[in-house]
Amino acid sequence: NAEYMQLFRKHGKVIHPATPCIKVSKDNIDNVVAGCRQQIEAPKKALTVAIYNNKGGVGKTTTTVNLAAVLKLAKKTVLIVDFDPNQQDLTSALGMKLSPGQFYRALSDRNFDIKDVISTYSISSNGKNIDCFDVIAADEKLAYEVSEVALRQELSIRRLKQILDSLKYDYDYILIDSPPNWRFFSQSAIYASDVVLMPTKHNNIFSLENAAVAITKFISEAKKQRQIANSLDYGPIPLPIFWNGENVSPHQKEIAHKAIENIIKQFKKEEKIDLTPYFYPKFVSSKRHREIFELRNYANIAKAAFYQLPAAYTNKTAQSYYKDLAKEYFLQ
């Protein structure tokens, strides 16, 4: 509008700010135009998605694995990152070996090639191995040898982003399985992401409250840090929450909606932030649309971890659920 400039990026169904809203002046116009022009002329291919909730047990790993599977079925190239080395659930769920310190080397040594850490997950079909998606497995050195204090002394919160940014031209999607806390690994994952996908449970008030805290505090904190590092970088944004892996009765749904409305009122009063778009993205005050995407419960999804195969590859019903999830958030 002649005074302010902001660049947005469209990736499939996701539209997110690529830059802050910048006031243009004689002093900064050359840098602003050069920075925006660079993004336009050499756009990064991948969308980096952190799957995160500060509450455990909401299905982050299951979401990551099966979302990768259906994105691959949609002919997208995908890398998934197990950045929860203490739990290692994603690596275990795929039957893969821990990285023997290589991922730690990539994080600590800028001269180490991250591509040496990447493995390809394959499935067997009709006697043939079919490559599905790429994986950076959890690192055993990060899990067992390095404390939180040492991590912050030896590694930078920014380093994971730098590594994944170098791979953004090789993939359509990079998915990060994040731990349920707000420490080094989760902070790094959110800092590295373009968008944050937050599974919740309709019958777990803590998962809903923690999503609100993540939106108002944690993601906001990562955004500020990104803008300090680069004034032309907007930082991560939260996607609307979804209810993960539960069948919801009308009565249960009404209880959950009342809890959400209380959360929205509380944060509007105390934090001066309206969380309505993050809980009810289709909300219109005159019609009171309170739609939240629901990924339904299905026994085969939970069982799939025992076979070390994504449920989306072994069961058509599970596959249809995760295809709906991918279409809701990412695919046109």
Side-chain angles (χ1 to χ4, degrees), residues 25 63 98 130 148 217 289 319:
S25 67
T63 299
L98 293 174
I130 300 174
E148 176 79 6
K217 295 184 179 179
H289 287 312
Q319 185 182 117

Side-chain angles (χ1 to χ4, degrees), residues 58 180 208 272:
V58 296
L208 299 171
K272 311 302 181 187

